Amino acid sequence: MPGSLDFMREALALAHANVAAGGRPFGAVLVLDGEIIARAANRIHDTHDPTAHAELLAIRQAAQRLDSPRLDGCEIYASGHPCPMCLAAMHLCGVSAVYFAYTNEDGEPYGLSTRAVYEEMAKPPSRQSLTVLPLRPQGEDGLYAQWADRRR
């Protein structure tokens, strides 16, 4: 089996400690070349930030530590199956692998599954419950070209 049980045990220990502190049962460890770069537990309970998932917090810590928005070659060990938001962030920053201990099926009886969100995201945008429509004011043009010019 790929991955390291030691790193997974650390992610699970973070999750257990977070539950004891009144938080949700989610912890994550981000590893590069066999070294832990970042570790985090879900912080929604104390920050009231719905994006304060363990995986996202670990990604933010690692990006700051590595001074790069790219985390190519990094692995994440998470106590639970990553939600679509966290999984998208992993794709966007180049994480190479994610390992999780508990599945969405494990979490379902406790209200901890993100299966329904995955199902919603699999629908074409026009059939999703969230309205997503383009709206560009007249005369607005060149934003992306401006960005490209600044990079040169």
Side-chain angles (χ1 to χ4, degrees):
M1 173 178 172
S4 164
L5 288 175
D6 289 336
F7 295 139
M8 183 57 73
R9 285 185 185 99
E10 181 146 357
L12 289 164
L14 289 165
H16 283 286
N18 205 45
V19 169
R24 297 179 183 207
F26 300 110
V29 173
L30 192 142
V31 176
L32 177 62
D33 298 329
E35 177 188 348
I36 294 176
I37 302 298
R39 46 177 71 76
N42 183 292
R43 300 265 327 269
I44 292 174
H45 69 290
D46 62 353
T47 65
H48 308 291
D49 175 354
T51 69
H53 290 202
E55 298 93 331
L56 287 184
L57 295 173
I59 286 170
R60 290 173 188 150
Q61 287 175 24
Q64 287 186 356
R65 180 170 177 194
L66 298 174
D67 197 28
S68 174
R70 298 297 309 168
L71 300 178
D72 300 292
C74 289
E75 299 176 338
I76 293 182
Y77 295 81
S79 60
H81 188 283
C83 75
M85 175 179 64
C86 292
L87 191 61
M90 292 176 206
H91 281 286
L92 288 169
C93 70
V95 167
S96 64
V98 59
Y99 304 98
F100 57 92
Y102 288 87
T103 66
N104 271 324
E105 292 77 17
D106 294 327
E108 189 82 37
Y110 307 98
L112 297 172
S113 173
T114 56
R115 179 187 52 78
V117 180
Y118 272 103
E119 290 172 358
E120 182 72 12
M121 297 292 293
K123 296 176 186 175
S126 63
R127 295 191 51 227
Q128 292 181 19
S129 61
L130 175 66
T131 302
V132 180
L133 298 170
L135 179 63
R136 186 185 313 177
Q138 186 175 358
E140 173 58 39
D141 192 30
L143 177 63
Y144 292 169
Q146 175 188 1
W147 176 80
D149 288 346
R150 290 277 299 164
R151 290 179 46 111
R152 292 184 198 150

